[in-house]
Amino acid sequence: MKKYHLLIPIIFLQLPSQLLAITPESLKKYPYQLLTNDYGILNEANLKRYTYEVNTEPFTGKFNGLDYWRCYKTKNVTVWYEKGYYDSDEKITHGSPYIRIKTNSTTTYDYVLRRAFSLNYAKNKVKKWQQLMKNQQFVCIGGIFVEKNIKIEDRKQITNYLWGFENLKTKKGCDSYFSGWCN
């Protein structure tokens, strides 16, 4: 009888991660929202969130207003904020946090928020992202694809993909543009 008492907590500790992890069944239910390997960071709820009350479709590289997850090596990720203008009506200095991923010498992915916030908000957002990525090998970022820009520099084609930020998640935790989207 004592053996069963020890076995039951072990089963319950493993059960939530198995239920929430992305499985082949999860990918069948939500086939479009994950564009890369998730490295064990995401769970089915993360994919489901991006399908709520919308008609999903495969990612085509064109703006469609849908959210998708992409995961990156954290060593390729840079986060920062920029100080904006002082708004005398709101009596705040605006700031904007940014995420840039440089996957190789000619390709970058930029994630931006939908609007500027206070400078303190931007600073705190960047601090939170840095904390979540510290000592992590991979990070997953969710967002809406906006556009692809190509330019030629030194006879090289430089490609930048612009995304609207929704979520940043590592094995340590999650941060979201919308309240409650990390739950």
Side-chain angles (χ1 to χ4, degrees):
M1 187 69 165
K2 289 182 180 182
K3 290 180 185 178
Y4 292 115
H5 289 291
L6 294 174
L7 188 59
I8 290 172
I10 292 170
I11 291 170
F12 280 109
L13 287 173
Q14 291 178 343
L15 193 58
S17 65
Q18 291 170 344
L19 285 176
L20 297 176
I22 293 180
T23 63
E25 292 78 25
S26 302
L27 290 174
K28 285 180 185 173
K29 284 168 68 174
Y30 309 106
Y32 306 130
Q33 278 29 75
L34 179 60
L35 302 180
T36 63
N37 185 334
D38 80 317
Y39 305 101
I41 295 170
L42 301 176
N43 59 48
E44 185 173 318
N46 299 134
L47 301 182
K48 184 178 180 179
R49 168 63 72 183
Y50 285 177
T51 65
Y52 184 71
E53 294 187 354
V54 297
N55 293 321
T56 61
E57 60 186 59
F59 179 72
T60 62
K62 295 182 178 149
F63 177 80
N64 63 10
L66 298 175
D67 290 303
Y68 298 94
W69 284 99
R70 292 185 62 90
C71 303
Y72 308 93
K73 293 180 178 181
T74 53
K75 70 179 184 178
N76 297 334
V77 179
T78 304
V79 296
W80 76 97
Y81 65 89
E82 291 181 2
K83 183 178 177 180
Y85 64 94
Y86 178 77
D87 186 321
S88 57
D89 293 332
E90 293 183 43
K91 297 186 180 8
I92 62 167
T93 299
H94 286 272
S96 297
Y98 295 96
I99 301 170
R100 173 166 289 156
I101 300 94
K102 189 167 186 169
T103 57
N104 59 50
S105 64
T106 61
T107 307
T108 57
Y109 296 81
D110 287 339
Y111 288 82
V112 299
L113 274 69
R114 298 168 188 255
R115 64 181 184 90
F117 290 89
S118 73
L119 184 58
N120 284 338
Y121 176 91
K123 287 178 182 179
N124 289 334
K125 188 63 83 172
V126 168
K127 184 177 179 181
K128 173 78 172 180
W129 294 341
Q130 289 169 331
Q131 289 170 344
L132 287 171
M133 291 189 297
K134 186 176 181 178
N135 299 322
Q136 297 296 296
Q137 189 174 3
F138 298 100
V139 60
C140 295
I141 305 172
I144 297 171
F145 177 77
V146 178
E147 65 184 5
K148 174 182 175 179
N149 295 300
I150 297 174
K151 63 183 178 180
I152 305 297
E153 284 183 8
D154 299 325
R155 294 189 270 209
K156 287 184 184 176
Q157 179 175 304
I158 308 296
T159 306
N160 174 264
Y161 298 92
L162 180 62
W163 292 76
F165 173 81
E166 297 293 341
N167 298 85
L168 182 145
K169 187 172 183 184
T170 67
K171 290 183 178 183
K172 283 180 157 180
C174 181
D175 182 59
S176 179
Y177 179 82
F178 291 113
S179 176
W181 275 41
C182 283
N183 298 338

